[in-house]
Structure formats: structure tokens, C-alpha cells
């Protein structure tokens, strides 16, 4: 099977994009890039510091710039931050250059996972559960535009990876490259 395009993982904070992405890249024998980590390295700041010092609008511009660069590098597995796919120009770029995968998870699972960390500035603005619920309802219809949808609610990351590969193979038979 041949994936000449980058494979982009989208979905809410806590859905497992980074862990799944690392395993998927290892199985496919290609590089893995986490967009948030890429931005942190480039800026020499954490995502929290970028939000605090420069604001969300600047962060979104950095996401656009990072993703434009990363998607031009060819065959890679790329984990997006949860808000990146909400930007229409980014979705357009992904449509042109990549295969998108939405890692879907139920609200309770996401909440349980995000409560463990303080690294997500959007959730530090108020009650995490309320904010997460609001974001989830706004974003789910947009994530649903991805080429592939896999549910991670009940499975381990390894199971999610298997499902992604199954669906990629299915697309590959349809000559998606
Ligand atoms: C965000 C999700 C975060 C990070 C930033 C904004 C969002 O990434 O990009 O805090 O808007 O959902 P993860 O989805 O990897 O937590």
C-alpha cells in the first residue's frame, strides 16, 4: 500500500491524536509530527505561554503557518491541535494535500482525559466540563468532514491505529494517493 499524502489526525483535545499518531507513523514507517510541539519548538515557548503572551489569534496564525510547511513535506503522520481543523483555509489545504482522520471520542472520555492536565489554555478560562461540552458541540460537525472517522471511545490506542489502517487500505483500493 502506498500513502504518498500526509495523514492528518484531527479531533478534540484528549482524543489521543499524539499517542495514536506516533504508533501509526511507526507502523507505516514514516515520520510523525505533532503540530503543537512543532510550534513550541519553533517559538521556544509552551502553548500556554503563547496563548498568555500573544493571544489565540496569533496562535491560530502560527498553526496555519506550521501546517502549510508540514504538509509540504510529503508522507508524514501529523497530529493537529484540536482547533486547527476549525480554520477553513487549513481544511482546504488538508483537502488538497492530505488524508484526514477524525479520532472521535465521547464527552465523558474526553473530560476524564483533559481533567488530568493543565496544558490546555482554552479549558483554563472557566469550568472545564462546560467549555469542553460547548467546544465539542461546535466542532463535531466540522470534524465530521474528515475523510475517515474512527471511534476511540472504547478501544486502546492500538485498536484505533488498526482501524485507521483498515480504512486507509480501503481508500487505497479506491486508488486514493
Ligand atoms: C486546542 C487544542 C490544543 C492546542 C491548543 C488549542 C484547541 O491541542 O492546540 O491548546 O483549540 O482545541 P490538543 O488538541 O493536542 O490538546
Amino acid at each position: 500500500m502506498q500513502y504518498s499524502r500526509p495523514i492528518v489526525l484531527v479531533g478534540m483535545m484528549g482524543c489521543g491524536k499524539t499517542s495514536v499518531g506516533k504508533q501509526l507513523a511507526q507502523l507505516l514507517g514514516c515520520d510523525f509530527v505533532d503540530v503543537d510541539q512543532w510550534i513550541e519548538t519553533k517559538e521556544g515557548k509552551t502553548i500556554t505561554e503563547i496563548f498568555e503572551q500573544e493571544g489565540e489569534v496569533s496562535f491560530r496564525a502560527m498553526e496555519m503557518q506550521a501546517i502549510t510547511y508540514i504538509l509540504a513535506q510529503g508522507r508524514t503522520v501529523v497530529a493537529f491541535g484540536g482547533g486547527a481543523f476549525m480554520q477553513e483555509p487549513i481544511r482546504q489545504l488538508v483537502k488538497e494535500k492530505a488524508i484526514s482522520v477524525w479520532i472521535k471520542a465521547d464527552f465523558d472520555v474526553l473530560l476524564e482525559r483533559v481533567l488530568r492536565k493543565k496544558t490546555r489554555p482554552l479549558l483554563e478560562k472557566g469550568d472545564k466540563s462546560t467549555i469542553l461540552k460547548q467546544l465539542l458541540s461546535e466542532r463535531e460537525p466540522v470534524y465530521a468532514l474528515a475523510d475517515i472517522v474512527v471511534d476511540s471511545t472504547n478501544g486502546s490506542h492500538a485498536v484505533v491505529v488498526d482501524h485507521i489502517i483498515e480504512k486507509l487500505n480501503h481508500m487505497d483500493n479506491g486508488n486514493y494517493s
Side-chain angles (χ1 to χ4, degrees):
M1 73 190 146
Q2 285 296 321
Y3 309 114
S4 52
R5 289 178 174 228
I7 296 162
V8 162
L9 306 181
V10 306
M12 282 297 285
M13 306 176 238
C15 73
K17 298 176 295 269
T18 304
S19 309
V20 167
K22 282 181 185 163
Q23 289 183 28
L24 181 64
Q26 201 169 19
L27 271 173
L28 297 178
C30 64
D31 288 338
F32 169 72
V33 182
D34 180 282
V35 174
D36 284 344
Q37 282 168 14
W38 194 95
I39 294 172
E40 287 183 334
T41 304
K42 180 162 182 287
E43 298 298 316
K45 291 177 186 172
T46 64
I47 298 298
T48 300
E49 286 167 344
I50 295 171
F51 268 73
E52 275 170 12
Q53 296 167 16
E54 300 176 48
E56 183 174 350
V57 173
S58 296
F59 172 73
R60 298 300 174 198
M62 290 173 197
E63 267 186 326
M64 176 76 213
Q65 206 185 19
I67 288 167
T68 304
Y69 175 82
I70 294 162
L71 294 190
Q73 307 308 303
R75 193 172 171 269
T76 325
V77 174
V78 187
F80 275 17
F85 203 60
M86 298 303 291
Q87 298 196 51
E88 207 279 328
I90 291 183
R91 284 201 302 281
Q92 192 55 42
L93 195 66
V94 169
K95 202 171 166 189
E96 282 164 22
K97 300 205 177 291
I99 301 171
S100 52
V101 180
W102 174 23
I103 305 179
K104 193 176 176 181
D106 287 354
F107 172 74
D108 291 340
V109 172
L110 294 169
L111 183 64
E112 201 262 321
R113 292 186 192 153
V114 300
L115 284 176
R116 294 188 214 144
K117 289 191 183 172
K118 285 192 161 202
T119 51
R120 289 166 171 126
L122 286 183
L123 300 180
E124 298 301 320
K125 289 183 184 169
D127 177 58
K128 280 195 172 107
S129 168
T130 310
I131 299 170
L132 190 73
K133 191 166 271 173
Q134 174 70 26
L135 287 174
L136 189 63
S137 71
E138 285 166 16
R139 291 178 174 184
E140 279 200 319
V142 179
Y143 293 146
L145 299 171
D147 299 315
I148 290 176
V149 181
V150 286
D151 202 310
S152 82
T153 304
N154 298 312
S156 65
H157 290 327
V159 169
V160 176
V161 171
D162 284 349
H163 285 159
I164 295 174
I165 291 187
E166 238 170 66
K167 293 197 175 187
L168 284 170
N169 285 339
H170 194 70
M171 286 183 97
D172 201 43
N173 289 337
N175 290 322
Y176 201 108
S177 64

